């Protein structure tokens, strides 16, 4: 059994996840391109997957080729049609890495449930480690600055990547929720551990003060509850709404950072703060780029070059961050903070079509193979829901990009990989229970 676990190539994917948390110490490579420890590990992961294919130990599923093939083609077309091909080449390679090569590598190295469990376990471990460190930062005043106090939890990523820790913790929260729901029905011994993990992750997410992550995670968890048990979802949403109402009543006069950030979500439309206002201007600039180049856009990685041409004078010149490690840093606004608008502006309708087809193929595959009682399937569905929602007001960048690619690969493995037998049912005494002859809806036998 020990050798069976050690000899699995999925440990390389797990190591890639662990490397995401390694702090970035080197300078940026070129304009807006950084090579992190996770990027280096992802190259090893892709090489290992290629070796498995060459040696005949695995093969690329046909469904995966149909899903990722159009994206490869559209990326190539929009890069060739770019106004500056040389500037677009790094972006082309980056998109190929994140949206095609790393997810495909995860599909190839995760050949069964144990492999997927190893990768998901690594995500949980990374999330808990970052969450614990983030809580310590907020408690001791060693986090990122907000409102003049260094109380924002940012983990090992620092204020330069202020949202990174919240994304990592959110992915881990999705996985812990899936295991908790499955544990209630199968193995109640996992429930206390899952609840403890959720408590740590939840506290870190609150202290991260990331409004976008709160919204995306809420959408993902609600979807997971609905898929698992609609009655449970109704009860959970009702309890959550009651807790939010009580929180609002008891903190009516509170001016804490958490309360202020929560209230700012309500006024994002009528009275947006500077951050939200800048985002609206960036969205407008992205739409302007698309209107002038509707088919192929301005070229991959060229948004920053055209930003000032299309953005109004109200747009800030950059965002300001500060923490005890990095000090004061002013960062340029290099993207529209909306993945869909970023693809539309830089790659036009051609690029958006390839991107949308890839996402649709993964979602469709998950739906056709749905097994809401399977924690791995439920986690994949939750991760996709989080990504699809988060992409509405955020785009990929920074060290967590590789983690997103790995989670996309986990979802693709459940949706597009070889059909695997469903997990065995176990009664409360630990004995295997034979499944009935009927198949799960849309699933494999």
């Amino acid at each position: 059994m020990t050798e069976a676990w050690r000899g699995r190539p999925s440990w390389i994917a797990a190591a890639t996840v662990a490397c995401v948390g390694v702090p970035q110490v080197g300078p940026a490579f070129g304009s807006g391109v950084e090579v992190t420890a996770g990027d280096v590990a992802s190259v090893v992961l892709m090489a290992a997957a290629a070796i498995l294919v060459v040696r005949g130990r695995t093969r690329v599923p046909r469904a995966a080729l149909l899903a990722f093939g159009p994206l490869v083609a559209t990326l190539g077309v929009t890069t060739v049609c770019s106004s500056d091909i040389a500037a677009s080449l790094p972006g082309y390679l980056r998109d190929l890495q994140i949206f095609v090569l790393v997810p495909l590598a995860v599909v190839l190295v995760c050949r069964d449930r144990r492999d997927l469990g190893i990768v998901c376990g690594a995500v949980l471990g990374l999330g808990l480690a970052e969450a614990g460190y983030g809580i310590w930062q907020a408690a001791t005043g060693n986090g990122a600055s907000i409102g003049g106090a260094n109380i924002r939890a940012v983990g090992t990523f620092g204020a330069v990547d202020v949202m990174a820790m919240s994304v990592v913790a959110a992915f881990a929260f999705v996985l812990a929720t899936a295991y908790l729901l499955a544990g209630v029905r199968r193995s109640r011994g996992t429930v206390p551990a899952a609840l403890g993990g959720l408590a740590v992750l939840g506290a870190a997410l609150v202290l991260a003060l990331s409004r976008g992550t709160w919204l995306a995670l809420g959408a993902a968890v609600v979807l997971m509850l609905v898929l698992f048990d609609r009655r449970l979802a109704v009860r959970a949403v009702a309890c959550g709404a009651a807790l939010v109402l009580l929180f609002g009543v008891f903190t009516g006069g509170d001016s804490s950072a958490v309360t202020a950030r929560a209230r700012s979500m309500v006024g994002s439309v009528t009275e947006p703060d500077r951050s939200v206002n800048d985002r609206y201007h960036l969205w407008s600039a992205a739409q302007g780029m698309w209107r002038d180049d509707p088919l192929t856009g301005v070229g991959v990685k060229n948004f920053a070059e055209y930003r000032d041409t299309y953005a109004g004078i109200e747009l800030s010149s950059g965002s300001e961050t500060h923490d005890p490690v990095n000090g004061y840093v002013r960062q340029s606004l290099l993207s529209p903070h909306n993945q869909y608008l970023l693809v539309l502006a830089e790659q036009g309708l051609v690029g958006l079509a390839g991107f949308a087809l890839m996402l649709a193929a993964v979602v469709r595959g998950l739906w056709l193979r749905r097994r809401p009682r399977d924690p791995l399937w439920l986690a994949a569905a939750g991760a996709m829901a989080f990504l699809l929602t988060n992409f509405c007001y955020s785009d990929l960048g920074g060290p967590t990009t590789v983690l997103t690619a790995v989670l996309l690969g986990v979802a693709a493995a459940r949706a597009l990989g070889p059909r695997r037998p469903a997990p065995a049912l176990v009664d409360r005494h630990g004995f295997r229970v034979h499944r009935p002859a009927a198949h799960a809806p849309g699933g494999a036998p």
Side-chain angles (χ1 to χ4, degrees), residues 16-33:
T16 302
V17 170
C19 287
V20 170
V22 176
Q24 175 71 8
V25 294
F29 180 76
S31 177
V33 178

Side-chain angles (χ1 to χ4, degrees), residues 25-26 38 50 63 108 160 240 257 285 336 341 419-420 422:
V25 294
L108 294 173
V160 178
L341 286 178
R419 290 182 180 269
R420 304 174 178 89

Side-chain angles (χ1 to χ4, degrees), residues 82-105:
S82 170
S83 57
D84 188 346
I85 298 179
S88 292
L89 279 177
Y92 167 78
L93 295 175
R94 183 64 161 171
D95 282 1
L96 203 64
Q97 172 202 6
I98 299 306
F99 293 116
V100 179
L101 297 180
V102 172
L104 269 180

Side-chain angles (χ1 to χ4, degrees), residues 34 85 153 161 171-172 201 206 218 241 250 258 286-287 324 409 438:
E34 296 181 357
I85 298 179
D161 293 291
F171 279 133
L201 293 167
V206 170
F250 286 106
V258 176
Q287 293 170 19

Side-chain angles (χ1 to χ4, degrees), residues 57 68 146 183 197 202 364 367 384:
R57 295 182 58 187
F68 293 103
I146 185 169
R364 178 178 181 272
W367 179 252
M384 286 302 297

Side-chain angles (χ1 to χ4, degrees), residues 113 116 365-366 369 371 374 376-377 380 409-417 420 423:
R113 295 182 58 80
L116 287 172
L366 286 173
R369 301 184 184 188
R371 289 198 184 98
D374 179 3
L376 295 176
W377 182 91
V410 170
R414 297 297 299 160
L416 309 173
R420 304 174 178 89

Side-chain angles (χ1 to χ4, degrees), residues 152 162-163 166 205-215 261:
R152 189 171 186 179
V162 72
M163 293 181 61
S166 67
L205 284 165
V206 170
L207 297 173
L209 304 175
S210 175
R211 297 168 293 187
T213 302
W214 294 347
L215 291 173
R261 295 290 282 182

Side-chain angles (χ1 to χ4, degrees), residues 16 26 34 52 70 74 76 137 142 158 178 180 197 199 203 260 306 340 347 357 360 441:
T16 302
E34 296 181 357
L52 290 176
T74 56
Q137 289 175 321
N142 285 282
L180 173 63
Y306 286 84
Y340 306 114
Q347 303 178 50
L357 284 173

